[in-house]
Amino acid sequence: MQSSNFIFKNTSLLPKLGCYKAEAPSNIALVKYWGKHGEQLPTNTSISFTLNECKTKTEVHLLEKIEADDQFHFEVYFNNYLKPDFKPKIKTFLKRIEIYAPFLKSFKFEIRTQNTFPHSSGIASSASGMAALAKCILQMEQNIFVDLQEDFLVQKASFLARLGSGSASRSTNGGLVVWGEHSSIENSSNFYGIDYPYEVHDNFKSFCDTILLVDQGKKEVSSSVGHNLMHNHPFASQRFKQADDNIEKIKAIFESGDLMSFINLIEFEALSLHAMMMTSQPYFLLMQPNTLEIINAIWAFRKETQTPVGFTLDAGANVHLLYPKSSESKVLDLIEQKLKYFCQNQSFIKDYVKI
């Protein structure tokens, strides 16, 4: 399905006034997407686990009908506080999706949103936030056209979310999600995420993700800036090939159930992502000293106990510990005895993945 399939064709029809609610989970990429082209299109395929506890809850209140002009008339509230600094990014998103949801210009509306996790600190808050907003907008379209097919709604939600944040395309559904066209993944698309279409070994069907909150503040360099720095990056082409090769490898791992190969791959991907940041121009560093302390402690623990636990990182300092449910008690002991002391306020979030 191409972008033209999602164009809203009858601009005279409007949804009813009222409140449209949705929630969307965060996700953690296993094979990372870093760099984009065109209108929010990925330069390489990515695949992610969808989390269950880390999510965004959003309400869009259509308050009154107005005469449509060339502006969007809205306010944004985060945790019940007016957030004017959120408006520019959302306005950019609304402009991008205007042809797909033109009815928004005919209303004065409020966006009210909240997270179950710290905003803008390396947990994919823009992913869950834009995904939840996109799902609210799809509810408005459903209000107009009640017989829309489920497949269309799922694809369009991911399609719209991508135009707000690329990784949001992987947060509108659940489980294991692929975004970006790849010759080895049937029906994969640059325009929206899809559920991983192949059988997954039981080892990966109930996985834990404990997020160690090294830094709960706003990161100094945004992901958008980091993506743009890939345009002239000296190692960009090698990185894109590396990521696509790792899609092939992780596909085989999901089939075989090889936990140690999985851990090796996700850690390699995480460090490759941050290597791109450290070798861009200008270069930057999002890991912090305590991030490295945690990584070294994980490596020592794994070497000593042979417990299948690994780490990955998003674009931030926080560390995602990934491990099968069977290792949970050992890993939680490690966190309580050692790792939490490297976290801000000794804070961490226990989350999980269901496939």
Side-chain angles (χ1 to χ4, degrees), residues 168-181:
S169 65
R170 302 191 309 257
S171 276
T172 54
N173 218 4
L176 188 60
V177 180
V178 177
W179 173 46
E181 188 174 340

Side-chain angles (χ1 to χ4, degrees), residues 22-61:
E23 63 179 44
S26 184
N27 70 77
I28 180 65
L30 308 171
V31 175
K32 310 293 186 180
Y33 128 78
W34 197 243
K36 54 191 174 184
H37 64 94
E39 195 167 52
Q40 296 286 98
L41 298 173
T43 47
N44 66 268
T45 308
S46 58
I47 187 167
S48 60
F49 276 154
T50 307
L51 303 182
N52 280 266
E53 300 300 326
C54 292
K55 61 183 68 174
T56 299
K57 300 177 181 180
T58 297
E59 298 179 358
V60 179
H61 297 261

Side-chain angles (χ1 to χ4, degrees), residues 1-2 42 178-182 185 187-194:
M1 192 174 288
Q2 299 299 307
V178 177
W179 173 46
E181 188 174 340
H182 195 283
I185 307 292
N187 296 322
S188 57
S189 172
N190 288 337
F191 293 105
Y192 48 80
I194 65 165

Side-chain angles (χ1 to χ4, degrees), residues 28-29 31 33 87 114 126 157 161 201 228 234 251 267 278 315 326:
I28 180 65
V31 175
Y33 128 78
K87 288 188 73 172
Q114 58 184 335
S126 61
H201 194 281
N228 288 336
K251 184 180 175 185
E267 292 185 348
M278 290 187 280
S326 58

Side-chain angles (χ1 to χ4, degrees), residues 250-262:
I250 205 168
K251 184 180 175 185
I253 289 168
F254 283 139
E255 183 177 356
S256 70
D258 187 337
L259 288 169
M260 288 305 183
S261 292
F262 174 78

